[in-house]
Amino acid sequence: RVLFRSPRHDEVTVAIIGAGFAGLCTGAKLVEAGIDDLLLIDGAGDVGGVWYWNRYPGAMCDTAAMIYLPMLEETGRMPSAKYVHAPEIHEHARAIATTYGLHERALLSTEVESVTWDEASARWVIRTDRGDAIRARFVAMGTGPLHRPKLPSIPGIETFAGPAFHTSRWDYGVTGGTPDGEPMTRLSALRVGIIGTGATAVQCIPALGRDAGVLEVFQRTPSSIDVRDDWETDPEWAAKLQPGWQAARRAKAFTEPPLPTLQLQRRQTFTAEEKLRAQENANIDYMMRIHKRIDEIVEDRTTADALKPWYMFMCKRPCFHNDYLPTYNRPNVHLVDTHGKGILEIGENGPIFEGKEYPLDLLIYATGFEVQKTGTWNRITGEGGRDLQDKYADGIRTLLGIHTHGYPNMFIMGGYQASFNFNLTDVLQAQGDHIAACIDHVRTNGYATIDCTEAAEDWWVEEVIEHRGKTNRNAECTPGYYNFEGEFNRRQDGNYNGGFPKYYANLGAAREKMTENFTFTK
Ligand code: NAP
């Protein structure tokens, strides 16, 4: 329930847009640095970002909670298992906010519409859908790259007569049950359809298969499904952890590739070509093991074959689940494989594929999210009235994916040209630390603004291009959000692929040479 409130026209030192882990980590670091005049602005009704919105049954995180959940020691919390479910993660986000007093500094149910630099006063002006015009000395964007639910533009989508929703807006009023895993009792007599078989669908299909009268799964591209090797946290072991354990564990984890099967012999020396071949062979071995697993679990041969991914490993996000494949052995669950075509027509009764109609009582879209191509959803106008989208017209230009020249006192988190790491919160925490350190530097030196130099930006764009040149083979992959649905063309528009340790070192190095990389005004 959104309550009426009067528009705000006040000023804060730091405005943080987005109250997910990016915003919370940065907010916490700022409070630690003594900068507590800050405001987190979010369209959601609570903190938590992606974990606020995604409450579909079975939602959980594929990254080990001991490293994924930020600030475990600071909040005095311990994950219940190696991999934890969405409600526990949302609870953890709330705990960070409680520990650092961020609930009191959050402006919720408020969508930011524009962020404009006012040169005369050296302040950002943030306008929202609630009529606010909040002024801020510094602004940090933690809006998340996959944030806007995507419905496919399938002809007839609006004609479907039954209830329908996107997985990130799950309607338990329709299904019954709860995000904590209570059975969805209202589905037992219903014919339910789900479009999409990505990471979200893989997690909610087992619960839907268990509870629905009939479940039709409409697949365009199968995901690769590996084992989820999970266990509960042993409290005796946890009690023996020494202070500093989480930072040590994270540091160790970010030097380890996520899948040991794909680790190449580290001590062996390869030429570039040999390394590429060795990686390709490791990819093929991995995918053959994924195929074998399907054959061992799925009883119906046609279904088993349709579930086998045909593309190279990492073309699509790898998935991990122990109940997804067995769900296809249930008599009430049917896979409708569209052979890569996808559903192209929806009628009043349900999806239609190759002339056959699939009548449904409920249709669920697990069709993912719009990809944020420029690092932030907000309309951003910098020095000289320049729109950030116009600046990026010929390609994204940043220093470290965080600073962009001509947009002083502005910081971007979780966007492109930063390092990608399977543990996304490593990147967000490192960026939060960096942003807090930059703001602290400006304040302690009595400066008014910080901006990166054009030369520093040029250097970083070249770094991004060089490292993407070595590893970017996404153009050969099936379309998806990893390669901008196959439309990917500019090499600088993507993640920095030099590896997280190198990215992390670059953040520190940039701060050591503040006067070379940045300009300051008094
Ligand atoms: P997604 O990976 O983009 O998957 C969307 C699915 O919808 C794909 O299977 C896509 O097929 C399908 N689709 C789209 N249009 C279609 C059509 N017309 N007919 C049939 N199928 C259609 O989205 P997501 O599953 O929500 O995941 C988004 C990201 O969130 C993940 O990749 C991950 O980074 C994160 N996430 C993580 C977890 C986790 O930690 N386990 C869980 C959920 C989400 P194509 O593959 O052919 O495009």
Side-chain angles (χ1 to χ4, degrees):
R1 197 158 63 95
V2 177
L3 300 175
F4 174 80
R5 65 166 174 81
S6 303
R8 286 178 60 160
H9 294 93
D10 53 332
E11 180 168 319
V12 292
T13 302
V14 188
I16 301 176
I17 303 176
F21 279 137
L24 292 171
C25 289
T26 308
K29 287 292 160 189
L30 287 166
V31 170
E32 273 180 359
I35 304 162
D36 55 7
D37 175 26
L38 50 93
L39 188 68
L40 287 103
I41 309 173
D42 201 301
D46 195 0
V47 301
V50 72
W51 301 107
Y52 170 88
W53 290 111
N54 285 278
R55 297 172 185 221
Y56 60 84
M60 63 191 303
C61 182
D62 282 343
T63 307
M66 295 278 180
I67 57 168
Y68 179 76
L69 296 180
M71 304 187 155
L72 283 171
E73 290 188 70
E74 291 87 333
T75 53
R77 291 168 58 87
M78 183 54 60
S80 61
K82 183 178 180 197
Y83 299 107
V84 294
H85 283 267
E88 185 172 338
I89 304 175
H90 187 217
E91 208 38 56
H92 185 69
R94 290 176 54 78
I96 295 175
T98 304
T99 305
Y100 290 93
L102 300 176
H103 290 293
E104 302 88 284
R105 296 178 172 90
L107 188 62
L108 301 168
S109 301
T110 302
E111 287 281 347
V112 170
E113 290 181 337
S114 68
V115 182
T116 309
W117 180 242
D118 175 36
E119 278 171 57
S121 61
R123 295 288 184 271
W124 286 99
V125 182
I126 298 151
R127 294 200 161 77
T128 75
D129 65 349
R130 301 282 212 115
D132 307 302
I134 297 159
R135 301 170 73 78
R137 265 188 82 181
F138 301 92
V139 66
M141 315 279 179
T143 46
L146 297 173
H147 160 96
R148 285 196 180 162
K150 185 169 74 178
L151 289 178
S153 53
I154 303 173
I157 185 170
E158 72 290 352
T159 64
F160 178 64
F165 54 76
H166 186 272
T167 44
S168 70
R169 300 292 183 273
W170 197 273
D171 190 344
Y172 284 99
V174 172
T175 62
T178 63
D180 291 314
E182 298 293 317
M184 294 176 282
T185 45
R186 294 188 189 152
L187 296 183
S188 58
L190 301 190
R191 298 182 64 87
V192 179
I194 182 164
I195 298 185
T197 50
T200 298
V202 164
Q203 292 184 333
C204 64
I205 282 171
L208 286 171
R210 179 197 64 196
D211 296 340
V214 170
L215 179 66
E216 306 279 4
V217 180
F218 300 95
Q219 171 181 276
R220 185 161 70 187
T221 315
S223 285
S224 66
I225 318 288
D226 206 343
V227 178
R228 176 189 283 282
D229 205 5
D230 204 358
W231 53 79
E232 285 180 12
T233 305
D234 174 355
E236 280 181 35
W237 169 84
K240 289 187 199 132
L241 288 167
Q242 296 301 311
W245 70 265
Q246 196 186 22
R249 189 159 177 154
R250 283 177 53 220
K252 189 164 172 275
F254 58 63
T255 57
E256 299 285 337
L259 292 163
T261 40
L262 293 188
Q263 276 184 48
L264 302 175
Q265 289 293 322
R266 286 219 178 118
R267 262 168 257 123
Q268 229 169 308
T269 45
F270 291 107
T271 64
E273 186 58 23
E274 282 166 347
K275 193 169 175 189
L276 194 65
R277 293 289 150 256
Q279 184 68 60
E280 273 178 6
N281 286 338
N283 286 355
I284 292 166
D285 287 349
Y286 179 83
M287 281 311 217
M288 290 304 103
R289 189 166 64 73
I290 293 294
H291 284 205
K292 187 163 167 273
R293 193 164 172 258
I294 295 167
D295 281 332
E296 283 164 3
I297 295 173
V298 179
E299 288 155 13
D300 177 71
R301 283 305 88 211
T302 311
T303 307
D305 286 344
L307 286 167
K308 289 175 185 164
W310 61 79
Y311 45 84
M312 274 297 211
F313 177 69
M314 283 311 283
C315 272
K316 287 204 168 285
R317 186 200 188 278
C319 297
F320 307 84
H321 215 286
N322 299 341
D323 303 324
Y324 176 73
L325 294 172
T327 298
Y328 291 98
N329 294 334
R330 289 178 174 272
N332 64 325
V333 178
H334 314 130
L335 180 70
V336 182
D337 180 32
T338 64
H339 317 292
K341 292 182 198 145
I343 290 296
L344 303 172
E345 194 183 347
I346 295 180
E348 193 188 337
N349 299 319
I352 299 160
F353 181 65
E354 292 183 337
K356 183 172 173 197
E357 185 186 68
Y358 294 84
L360 300 175
D361 303 305
L362 167 65
L363 181 52
I364 299 168
Y365 292 96
T367 43
F369 300 85
E370 301 284 350
V371 185
Q372 216 313 308
K373 297 189 183 175
T374 52
T376 171
W377 287 108
N378 304 127
R379 171 120 202 256
I380 298 171
T381 314
E383 280 179 348
R386 194 173 187 199
D387 192 312
L388 189 63
Q389 307 294 341
D390 292 339
K391 169 170 174 172
Y392 286 176
D394 295 323
I396 296 175
R397 299 189 56 77
T398 73
L399 172 63
L400 300 158
I402 297 176
H403 313 266
T404 185
H405 176 70
Y407 299 77
N409 290 3
M410 186 187 91
F411 310 93
I412 297 169
M413 287 173 275
Y416 286 118
Q417 294 196 349
S419 179
F420 174 79
N421 202 33
F422 203 74
N423 183 18
L424 283 177
T425 58
D426 278 343
V427 180
L428 302 178
Q429 289 182 84
Q431 292 183 331
D433 292 353
H434 174 84
I435 293 166
C438 287
I439 293 177
D440 192 40
H441 182 84
V442 172
R443 282 168 47 107
T444 48
N445 286 284
Y447 298 132
T449 64
I450 176 174
D451 192 6
C452 70
T453 66
E454 260 184 301
E457 193 176 274
D458 287 345
W459 163 73
W460 188 250
V461 170
E462 283 312 310
E463 281 288 296
V464 172
I465 290 172
E466 192 198 320
H467 287 96
R468 289 188 70 75
K470 282 183 196 159
T471 53
N472 174 28
R473 302 179 67 74
N474 277 359
E476 297 160 16
C477 289
T478 47
Y481 77 90
Y482 271 20
N483 62 356
F484 295 152
E485 304 297 341
E487 286 170 15
F488 179 89
N489 49 10
R490 284 185 306 240
R491 283 180 13 203
Q492 76 205 64
D493 290 358
N495 302 312
Y496 165 74
N497 285 348
F500 184 68
K502 217 165 167 185
Y503 177 72
Y504 190 76
N506 274 315
L507 289 175
R511 289 197 304 275
E512 267 168 31
K513 294 186 180 161
M514 277 282 188
T515 47
E516 276 177 41
N517 293 311
F518 300 96
T519 50
F520 298 91
T521 61
K522 278 274 185 190

